[in-house]
Structures are given as C-alpha cells and as structure tokens.
Amino acid sequence: MDFSVLGPVRAFSGGHPVDLGVRKQRFVLAVLLLEANKHVPADRLIELAWPEGEAPDTARAVIHTQISRLRATFAGAEDVTLVREGSGYQLRLDPMRVDVFRFHALCARARAATDDRRIELLEEALALWDGPALSSVATEDVRLRVAAPLEEARLGALEDRFEAYLRLGREAEIVHELAEAATEHPLRQQLVAKLMLALHRLDRTPEALATYQRLHRRLDEELGIEPAPAVRRLQVRILRGDPSLMPFTGPRQLPPDVDHYTGRHDVLDSLTGLFGTGDRVPAVAAITGKPGLGKTALAIRAAHRLAARFPDGQLFVDLHGAGPRPRDPAEVLARFLRDLGVAGTDLPASVEERVGLFRDRTASRRILVVLDNAADEEQLRPLIPGNPECGVLVTSRRRLTGLDLRGLIHLDGLADEDALALLTGLAPWVADEPREAAEIVRLCGGLPLALRIVGTKLRSRPHQTVADLAARLADERDRLDELVGGDREVRAGFLLSYDGLEAGQRRAFRLLAAMPDTGFAAWAAAVALGEDLRTAERLLESLVDVSLLECGRGEFTATRYHFHDLIRLYAKEKLSSADRAAVWSRLTDAYLHLGKRADARLEFGGLHQFTPPPLALEAPGLLAEVDRNAPAWLADEHASIVHAVELSAAAGDDATTCRLSATVAAFLELRAQWSDLRRVAELSHIAATRMDSPYWTAYALFALGLAARETRDFATAERSFRDALAVLPRAGDPLLEVVILLSVGVSHRLLGRWDEAAAHFAGCLSRLDALAAPRWRAYTLREYGVLHRYRGEWAKAKEFLTEAIATYESLGDVRWAAASGRELGIVHQDEGNHAAAVEQLTASRQALRDAGDGRREAATLRCLGWVALEAGDLPEALAHASQAREILSRTRDSHGLACAEVLLGDIHLAQGDPATGRAHVDRGVAYLDTSGDPRWRGKSLLSLGRHLAAAGDDRGARAAWEKAWEDLSRIGAHEAATVRGLLDG
C-alpha cells in the first residue's frame, strides 16, 4: 500500500485509491505516516487534531475510534500494521511507501550529486508535491502546525534546484519560475537574491536592481529591517558590474586519461570516495610512492572520474618536485590566477597576497586542483583552496607526513595478475608465452612504467620474441638500458630523485646498494655507512620519505629496509667497486661479532672456536637485545650472513668463510633450512680444505652430514660423517667430537643400524662424563632413549628419557623437555598406559606450540592421533591427525608428512572409509619406500597390508606384510611382532 501526504492525504492499493474516511481520520493517519515506525502518544494526536484549548472531553475516545477504523481499513494489507504501543500508537510499514520519505531521500541524494544530477533528483522530489502538504484534512492553523517543516523543506529543495541551475549558467531556463517563486514568497531573501543574479546575467540589470528595491521597501515597511548583508553586497556588485557574477567557464586542464589502464580498481574507488560533499574543509588526498608506479596516471584517472563533481573547473600542474628545481608556489599561483580570470596586471606581488586572491577566486566555486609531482608540504600549502567545496589531489614521491590529508594512498607495484594484464593489453601475443611473460613481470618489479616500455617495445618490434626480451632483462647489468622506449625511461625517473637528494643522502643511497637483497636493519646500515645508529636512521627515513627505500618488518627489528629491484640496480650503477668492498668489510666484521654472540645463545649453538673482531658501531642496547632474543636476530640476518659467506668464498677469504658459516649453522638446523645449511657447509668445506684446517674441515663435514641426513640423503650423510670422524683426532675439540659421534649415531638409528647407533650413543655418554656439557648429555640420553623405544625396551627408554627431561627442565629448556616428553608419551602408550600417554603428549604439544616449534608440535599431534586410534576414539584421532597434516604441509618435513598420511589412512579405514584411507596410505608409502628409513617403511607397509586385506586382496596384503617383516625384523623393531602375528594368523 502506498501513501501520500505532500498534498491531499491519500492511500493506494494496487494503484487503486483507498477510502480513508472522514477528515479527522485522515489527519490522524497523516500524523502517524509522518512518524512512521515511531511511537506516537495519544496525547500528541489530540494536541495536533484540535486547535489549542478546543479539544473536547471525548477527544481520546474520538482518536481511539479513528484508530479502530484505520485498522479495519488496513486489515487486508500485509505491508501495513497499526498497533497499540503503551499510551500511543505505531504505524509499521516501509517508509519508502510514503511520499514524504521518498522526498527526503531524493533531497539527500541530490546533496551528494553533481549539479546536472542534482537538478534531476530535485525535480523528481518536487514532482511528488500535489499542493500544500496535508491539504483537506484540518483547518489551516492545525495543518500548518504539522506541515510547516515540510513546506520549509520544499522551499529549500526549490532553492537548491535554482542554485544548481545558476551554477551551470542555465539561468534563462528558470528565470520565469524563479520570479513566480519570489512573488509567492516576497520576504524569502535567498529566492530574491537568486532572481537578482539571474536577471543581471540575462542583461536585465535594471529589473534586478528594481527587485532589490522592492525587497528593501517591503522589509522596511513590514518588519522594519534591512536586507541581509549578503543581499546588500550582491546589489553593490551588480551596480559595479563585477565580472565574477557572470557564469563561470572554469579551466579544464586535465591531461588525457591513460590508455590500457589496468588494475587498482579498489584503490581508485577508495580515492574518489574521499571527495564527498557537505565537508567543512577541502578534501586533500595524496598518492605517494616510488618513481614509475603510475602515481600520475592514477591521479589523472581519478580526476576524470571526479570532474563532474567539480563543474567549475579542474586545475592541473606538474610541480617538478622530484627534480633539483621544484616550481615556486608563487609562480604556480600566478598561473592559477590567470586561469581563473585574473588579468596579469592585477596579479599581487607577494605570495601571501596571491594565496589570498586564489582562495577568494575559488571561494564560491567547486574546483578540483591536481598537484602532480609535489616536492614537499611547504610547496603544497599555498596551493590549497580554502573553500570546502573544492578538492585537491596530490602526487608525490615523498610521504607528506606533515600535511593534513583526508586520505593518503601509498602505492606499491602492480600485483602479478594486473601486471600481466597490462603487458598483454599492450602486446596480446605475450599470452602465448606464459612462462617468459611471468618472468618479464617479475623483472619489471610491478612498475607500470617499465611494463609499458616493454609492452610498447614488443608491439613495435614484431621480430623480437618475448623470450628474447626476457633474456635481455634477466641480465642485471643491462636491465635499465632495456627499459628505455622513446622519451620514456625508467632510469630517468630514478635520476630525478637522486639529483634531488642532499650529499649525505646520495652517499647513503649509493653505499646501501651493496646491502643484501633480502633487506637490512638500521644497525646494519649504520655499519655499512660508517655512521652512528641515530644518523643512519635519519638517513634511512629520509630515503623512505622520497620513496627510494621501502620498509618491511622483521622478527627482531620492527623495521627492515630494502630497495625495489630496479632502484637497487640504479643505485648499484652509482656504487664504485672500492666502496662496495669497504661496505662488505665493515659488514663482515659486524656479522662475525654479532653472529658468534647470537649463536652462543642458541640451544645447541656455541660449538665453534674463534675470536671475532670488535663491533665498530655505536648502537646502545643492540648487544643486550641480541642476547635476549638471539633466534629472532638470526631469523632476520641469516640470509645476509649466507650472502656474506658466498662473498667471502668468492673473494678467497677462507678463514672468514669458515667462521661466518659457523655463526649461522646451528640456526639453520634449528629452522630446518637444509638447503642453506648445505650451501654454507659446502663453501666452508672448500675453504677449510684450502687452509688445511682439520678443525674447520671437521666442522664443515659435520654440517654437510647433518643437512644430508635430515633430507634423507643417507649416502651423503654417511660419507660426510665418516670423513669428519677421520679428521677429528687432529681437530682438537672434544665437544665437537661428541657432537659428530652423536650425529653419526642418529644416522645409524634412522638407517636401522641399531647396534652401531647404540655404540655411538654409549661412546658419547662416556666422553661427556669428562665435559661440562649438560645440554649435549641430555640430547644424547634422548636419542638413546628413542632407540630403546624402537626396540621395545620400555624400562630403559623411560629411564633415559626421564633423565633427559629432568636435565632440560633444570636448564630451563622448555622446547627440548617437551620434545623428549613426546617420546616418553609414546612409551606410555606402548606399555598400555593410555591415560599417562594422553597426559604426557598433551602437555608436550602445548609446550611445543608455545615455543613456536611447529614441526615437533605436528609430530606430537600425530602421536595423539595414534593414541586416540588405539583407544577407539576415531573423531579425536581424525582431528589430531588432520591438524598434524595441515601443519606439516606448511613445513619442509616431508618425512613427517608421509607418516601423518599413513596414520590418516589407518583412521579412515577404521571409520569404514577405505577409499579415502587408501589414498592417504598410498601417498605415505610412495615417500617412505624411498626414504632410506627401514622402520617407517616397514610400518607403512604394515598399514598398506591392512588396507589390502580389508579390500579382499589377501595375496597383496601378505606380500606387503612380508616386506614389512623383512624391514622390521632385520633391525629389531618391536613392531615386527605385530607383523609376524598377521602372517601367522
């Protein structure tokens, strides 16, 4: 049902009029409609329905009767409900079914629209009126008490519509209607002022002045007052022939929109959304970022989209802020003022006067000012209008932190998908070579300018293939030379920024090009620059401010810095070989000092023996922070140390190569970064061999063996450990000897050589009796305890594991106490003590999670899944095993993932879902069959046999179990008994 109150009060159902009864009843309805979905007290209805003091004693009963009749009228309508609410009533309906609410909604939309659209919306709103509001429902004095705000809203909408016409210079279309409105409302000064302006613009100035005289006379005679100051000023300006009163045809200076603009749709929407209406201050938005990102292109596209909101003009200027000679604001203001109609002879001399005149000329106009390539806040402030209906869009390489901004958008490179779309938009056949196209996108670093140059080259050189251009770009020495096309050049943008730097900034920019590509902390920059930390931080932030450096976060330091790839190449062009060598000499000394210090604080670090160079850096608190959080420091810096190892090896500095490798080896083992460990160990082994150093040779071979063992390359591990044992007697380091023997023992255990493993573990414990190395003793006890568990020697396993846990707890080592507790939990389950197993494994899992050891947490979850499967709690088992698999899939532990797959297969089989289970088991068997680990290969074949048996393939099951028996019985694993029972059963 639809209702109207803007005129006669009426209702329509399905387009047909509804009988609303007598006048009083229609009035009650009108009040309820105006307060739709709100509580209206009965006293309020009585107060409005009768003139003051004339309500009869029966008024409440009359209102109640009208309400009852209205309820009967709405009885068949599903979308209208009239309810009693306390001491009053409420009419519930969709407010857009009432014309007054549609009127207000249209007026609100008009306030946020451009003038052309505003006129359309206001005319639609005014068309809803069909005479005076609430006509024919009450006496005039009663009606006005309710309808007066509506009449004011109608006149306001009418005035806004006239104002929009005048702003567009379309006064000829409304002058007659405006005259009628002014005659109907002769004391409404805004209407009269608009009529004066319209008449003046139409060369009817005498009539405009006569209109003012009539207003003046009437106000004086009827109210004894003068016209408002604004109206008096308008009369004076008309008398003087002020040219600014005439329709303004503002400047339209926006450059053409960019062809093949790609991506950043969300950014564009956010940017244009900052420019609303009804603001109290001008909207100032800035786009910042490094050269070549397309800041200007984005600003121009946004400005074209916003142009309709600023019908009085769009000013555009390149402020040359990236170069050595930014434009003077006084010069820019002079140009703007000329563009706004100020004669050259009338331009003020001082900047302050030009600012004042600029703000005066934009005071009554909606103008968008685009300030491209701004230097800094000082250059920008004089160029911002004071009129809140104006907007300012700024681009700059600086962050502009000192400017009051509505919004700041700091651009990064295009996402790979958008970058590829831009490239294929320029040269569609690029899509035929997706691998090479993806490589070009990577090498261009997401810079739209670089991508446009490449795309244009491909389009204009059909003989050049995508692969050929990708190969050219791949050479860092020539990449910037390739990114030149016509008057477009990536290097030129960087050059402007570089030339605009101060001498100290330019030196920092050059020297920092020697830093690792993986990023660097402020302390490392201070070392590289040979400055104190505070000075280095100021230089770094100044380069960030001009978008020549970028920021990220690290584990140890809140801020790490890095170059965009192409900017780094440009900086390297400025870096001399002598400066590069000096930087790395300083950095290497710092990495040796801090790396040795951090390594000594790791759980199994501090093995190496050398005296590091002193730390030549004023950085209060750095050493204490490294001591407190060594793993985080190494997490941030290990990639740089690996790079330093490679540089030292390439330079033939063998001693430094070995020492740097040692500072990072324990951390790489801790984080399971085996490829990096293998790389530094290989380089260290070459260097140690050249030096003929038994100590460093043994250390490098130990690291090589460890990396090989953990990646299941047991042949390499065995060879490396054997060679290490051969040189150990000459190494002169008893603890290193223990550690290598221990690692060999673990390898033997994994390979199923359990007697040899036991001999090595026993030998380690014997040697450790003479050494003060409780952590290594605890680790040996843990590994020996695991071996006893594998053999089913539960008492010995518990004895060794319990002592290991106690030692770790006394050292405050929660992580390794928990890792040992996991092994003890498995022993409890194998002994049949389910409750103790769950308790121990749950505690270990939580401790490992708190320690951030995802790999061992996942292994413990897998054990909890196995324990739950043994107990028949299949939902719990599946939850634990699935979570373990999810964590392991994110790590580099392929062996652990394969073990989780086997467990999931067993769980799904127990749940009656053999197909899903078999898929899991097959994945696990495929890896474990070639892993070199006979125990887990046998266990996986045990599970496979169960699946085959469940599927009715008894022959296949027996074959799998026979292979499992062969593996497990050969090494003496306690699971062999289970296999034997299946084969004999």
Side-chain angles (χ1 to χ4, degrees):
M1 190 173 286
D2 297 294
F3 299 90
S4 63
V5 295
L6 301 179
V9 177
R10 292 174 291 192
F12 299 89
S13 179
H16 301 290
V18 175
D19 183 4
L20 296 176
V22 299
R23 186 171 72 168
K24 187 74 70 180
Q25 184 173 312
R26 295 199 304 276
F27 180 80
V28 170
L29 173 61
V31 175
L32 292 170
L33 287 168
L34 292 173
E35 300 291 332
N37 302 310
K38 295 180 182 177
H39 172 72
V40 181
D43 289 342
R44 175 65 174 160
L45 291 171
I46 293 170
E47 175 188 343
L48 294 173
W50 282 273
E52 188 174 356
E54 296 183 15
D57 294 339
T58 58
R60 192 172 297 276
V62 171
I63 294 297
H64 181 70
T65 300
Q66 309 305 334
I67 294 291
S68 298
R69 290 174 179 170
L70 286 171
R71 280 182 179 149
T73 300
F74 302 146
E78 297 181 356
D79 54 351
V80 182
T81 308
L82 181 53
V83 298
R84 180 69 180 263
E85 190 177 72
S87 60
Y89 307 93
Q90 185 183 92
L91 185 63
R92 297 174 181 170
L93 76 167
D94 178 359
M96 289 300 108
R97 292 289 188 178
V98 187
D99 59 359
V100 68
F101 289 100
R102 294 200 300 278
F103 170 78
H104 288 309
L106 287 165
C107 290
R109 288 172 57 194
R111 285 191 290 274
T114 62
D115 281 329
D116 287 319
R117 181 60 178 151
R118 179 177 294 191
I119 289 170
E120 293 176 6
L121 292 169
L122 290 174
E123 287 179 346
E124 184 180 349
L126 291 165
L128 295 172
W129 287 73
D130 186 19
L134 279 62
S135 59
S136 304
V137 296
T139 60
E140 188 63 11
D141 60 332
V142 171
R143 186 191 72 81
L144 286 177
R145 276 190 290 167
V146 178
L150 296 178
E151 294 292 345
E152 181 61 32
R154 184 184 72 84
L155 287 172
L158 192 63
E159 289 173 345
D160 287 346
R161 173 173 163 271
F162 290 148
E163 182 67 28
Y165 270 106
L166 290 171
R167 273 198 300 265
L168 294 174
R170 294 166 58 184
E171 48 277 337
E173 300 175 42
I174 57 162
V175 66
H176 298 301
E177 185 182 355
L178 189 51
E180 290 176 1
T183 300
E184 185 179 352
H185 303 279
L187 298 180
R188 197 167 183 94
Q189 298 189 54
Q190 288 189 40
L191 275 176
V192 175
K194 288 175 174 53
L195 176 58
M196 292 167 57
L197 180 59
L199 291 168
H200 175 64
R201 286 182 174 180
L202 294 170
D203 292 331
R204 295 164 62 179
T205 302
E207 294 177 62
L209 296 171
T211 300
Y212 174 80
Q213 292 301 328
R214 284 195 298 273
L215 173 67
H216 189 288
R217 186 166 52 251
R218 190 152 192 167
L219 288 172
D220 181 52
E221 292 175 354
E222 295 185 19
L223 302 175
I225 61 174
E226 289 188 335
V231 182
R232 297 202 303 271
R233 285 196 298 271
L234 176 59
Q235 183 221 18
V236 172
R237 293 173 69 188
I238 290 173
L239 286 168
R240 292 177 177 174
D242 186 343
S244 66
L245 291 175
M246 302 310 290
F248 176 70
T249 304
R252 301 289 189 268
Q253 298 177 351
L254 295 181
D257 204 350
V258 180
D259 191 22
H260 291 99
Y261 191 90
T262 305
R264 294 190 171 142
H265 304 297
D266 292 343
V267 173
L268 189 60
D269 289 342
S270 299
L271 183 59
T272 54
L274 296 171
F275 295 84
T277 58
D279 299 318
R280 301 176 63 181
V281 295
V284 182
I287 306 167
T288 63
K290 65 181 76 69
L293 278 176
K295 300 182 294 296
T296 300
L298 175 61
I300 291 172
R301 171 146 289 211
H304 278 286
R305 184 182 285 192
L306 290 165
R309 299 190 200 177
F310 299 94
D312 295 331
Q314 300 90 43
L315 295 166
F316 181 93
V317 64
D318 181 353
L319 295 173
H320 297 170
R325 290 179 296 278
R327 296 186 70 168
D328 188 336
E331 171 200 341
V332 177
L333 284 168
R335 204 206 83 186
F336 280 176
L337 289 169
R338 288 193 295 270
D339 295 337
L340 293 170
V342 177
T345 55
D346 294 334
L347 287 175
S350 71
V351 175
E352 291 77 9
E353 290 176 306
R354 290 182 182 183
V355 170
L357 185 56
F358 173 62
R359 290 176 179 165
D360 177 74
R361 285 306 172 106
T362 56
S364 60
R365 295 165 178 163
R366 288 188 289 173
I367 291 177
L368 178 65
V369 183
V370 182
L371 304 172
D372 186 39
N373 196 10
D376 52 32
E377 297 88 341
E378 185 179 359
Q379 183 191 38
L380 287 168
R381 287 194 182 95
L383 307 179
I384 297 175
N387 177 14
E389 292 192 299
C390 291
V392 181
L393 187 52
V394 179
T395 73
S396 179
R397 298 181 186 184
R398 289 188 175 273
R399 300 257 175 167
L400 303 177
T401 54
L403 200 64
D404 291 330
L405 296 169
R406 176 72 54 82
L408 173 63
I409 293 175
H410 187 72
L411 286 188
D412 288 318
L414 288 175
D416 288 349
E417 182 181 352
D418 290 334
L420 189 59
L422 174 57
L423 191 60
T424 54
L426 292 163
W429 56 91
V430 167
D432 297 335
E433 301 179 60
R435 182 178 301 176
E436 290 78 8
E439 180 65 2
I440 288 175
V441 165
R442 184 185 70 80
L443 294 171
C444 288
L447 283 190
L449 175 59
L451 291 162
R452 285 184 177 279
I453 291 171
V454 170
T456 304
K457 275 190 172 183
L458 288 170
R459 187 168 59 185
S460 62
R461 301 176 183 176
H463 61 280
Q464 189 170 43
T465 66
V466 179
D468 179 43
L469 189 51
R472 288 170 177 263
L473 291 169
D475 189 339
E476 286 193 352
R477 295 168 299 179
D478 298 329
R479 191 177 307 164
L480 291 178
D481 292 330
E482 289 295 328
L483 295 176
V484 178
D487 62 350
R488 288 176 171 172
E489 182 180 0
V490 170
R491 184 187 279 110
F494 301 157
L495 175 62
L496 278 174
S497 290
Y498 180 76
D499 285 347
L501 298 176
E502 297 175 357
Q505 293 172 312
R506 286 198 293 271
R507 175 179 179 271
F509 179 73
R510 293 193 304 271
L511 295 185
L512 293 175
M515 301 296 283
D517 301 347
T518 50
F520 48 90
W523 71 263
V527 170
L529 300 176
E531 303 281 2
D532 63 83
L533 183 59
R534 293 292 176 84
T535 300
E537 285 175 337
R538 285 194 292 270
L539 286 167
L540 289 169
E541 288 305 315
S542 71
L543 293 175
V544 170
D545 285 343
V546 295
S547 299
L548 288 176
L549 268 185
E550 299 179 15
C551 294
R553 296 189 66 81
E555 284 192 35
F556 181 76
T557 52
T559 304
R560 287 182 67 79
Y561 301 89
H562 62 277
F563 284 106
H564 182 276
D565 287 348
L566 296 180
I567 296 178
R568 176 177 54 82
L569 294 181
Y570 178 75
K572 281 185 173 181
E573 292 181 349
K574 300 289 185 182
L575 178 68
S576 70
S577 57
D579 280 343
R580 177 181 173 82
V583 166
W584 271 103
S585 175
R586 293 192 290 268
L587 279 173
T588 298
D589 285 352
Y591 282 134
L592 284 169
H593 186 101
L594 293 172
K596 187 175 192 299
R597 191 180 188 101
D599 176 75
R601 282 152 182 81
L602 296 182
E603 294 161 346
F604 295 103
L607 281 176
H608 44 71
Q609 299 173 359
F610 70 89
T611 301
L615 182 64
L617 171 66
E618 293 181 34
L622 176 62
L623 294 179
E625 284 298 318
V626 171
D627 290 346
R628 275 195 294 269
N629 203 353
W633 185 87
L634 284 162
D636 281 356
E637 302 299 338
H638 75 273
S640 299
I641 296 176
V642 170
H643 185 60
V645 171
E646 293 171 337
L647 290 177
S648 298
D653 187 347
D654 295 331
T656 299
T657 300
C658 293
R659 291 169 179 174
L660 280 171
S661 298
T663 65
V664 78
F667 174 80
L668 295 175
E669 185 276 331
L670 178 68
R671 294 293 175 96
Q673 296 182 216
W674 308 120
S675 60
D676 281 344
L677 179 58
R678 184 184 302 110
R679 174 65 174 157
V680 299
E682 288 170 346
L683 294 173
S684 180
H685 183 233
I686 294 169
T689 302
R690 253 195 320 252
M691 287 193 300
D692 192 24
S693 167
Y695 174 80
W696 286 116
T697 300
Y699 196 96
L701 287 167
F702 159 62
L704 278 170
L706 185 64
R709 186 192 76 196
E710 293 302 314
T711 53
R712 273 21 191 199
D713 181 2
F714 289 112
T716 300
E718 186 172 12
R719 183 172 60 253
S720 299
F721 287 143
R722 184 181 62 243
D723 292 347
L725 290 171
V727 298
L728 265 178
R730 294 187 295 129
D733 187 336
L735 182 58
L736 180 61
E737 182 179 359
V738 167
V739 172
I740 293 177
L741 286 171
L742 178 58
S743 297
V744 174
V746 172
S747 291
H748 285 323
R749 191 193 71 205
L750 292 173
L751 289 168
R753 300 172 183 171
W754 289 356
D755 290 340
E756 294 174 68
H760 278 86
F761 293 151
C764 288
L765 289 175
S766 175
R767 287 170 172 80
L768 284 165
D769 287 340
L771 298 174
R775 188 182 301 278
W776 286 107
R777 178 177 179 78
Y779 190 80
T780 305
L781 287 167
R782 176 186 180 276
E783 297 302 317
Y784 209 168
V786 171
L787 178 59
H788 285 303
R789 176 173 72 77
Y790 284 2
R791 286 177 150 171
E793 298 165 353
W794 315 127
K796 276 288 186 186
K798 282 200 293 186
E799 176 190 342
F800 281 34
L801 289 170
T802 302
E803 185 180 346
I805 292 169
T807 303
Y808 281 129
E809 288 177 343
S810 70
L811 295 171
D813 191 333
V814 176
R815 187 169 79 96
W816 278 99
S820 304
R822 167 182 169 270
E823 302 296 335
L824 183 59
I826 299 172
V827 173
H828 288 318
Q829 180 65 24
D830 282 332
E831 283 189 314
N833 191 344
H834 176 74
V838 171
E839 181 180 359
Q840 180 65 63
L841 289 169
T842 301
S844 293
R845 183 265 169 125
Q846 187 59 52
L848 289 165
R849 181 173 186 167
D850 292 343
D853 190 337
R855 188 162 63 102
R856 290 185 175 85
E857 180 198 355
T860 310
L861 281 166
R862 176 172 55 78
C863 292
L864 281 166
W866 165 67
V867 168
L869 174 63
E870 293 280 296
D873 189 348
L874 300 183
E876 184 80 0
L878 182 60
H880 286 313
S882 298
Q883 191 175 358
R885 181 179 182 274
E886 194 274 328
I887 295 173
L888 287 164
S889 66
R890 300 195 304 264
T891 72
R892 305 178 186 185
D893 188 355
S894 301
H895 187 276
L897 182 60
C899 297
E901 294 281 11
V902 172
L903 175 61
L904 282 164
D906 291 344
I907 295 168
H908 282 290
L909 180 63
Q911 287 183 321
D913 184 5
T916 302
R918 179 63 187 274
H920 282 294
V921 166
D922 284 348
R923 285 194 288 271
V925 169
Y927 175 84
L928 294 167
D929 188 50
T930 58
S931 69
D933 182 344
R935 177 172 172 269
W936 262 105
R937 182 173 60 213
K939 290 180 66 173
S940 69
L941 289 169
L942 171 60
S943 293
L944 177 61
R946 288 192 177 114
H947 281 265
L948 291 169
D953 185 358
D954 294 338
R955 180 178 296 177
R958 186 169 187 84
W961 289 334
E962 285 175 347
K963 290 181 180 178
W965 166 254
E966 181 181 343
D967 279 335
L968 297 171
S969 63
R970 176 173 54 82
I971 62 177
H974 71 87
E975 292 91 349
T978 302
V979 179
R980 188 73 262 165
L982 290 168
L983 288 170
D984 296 343

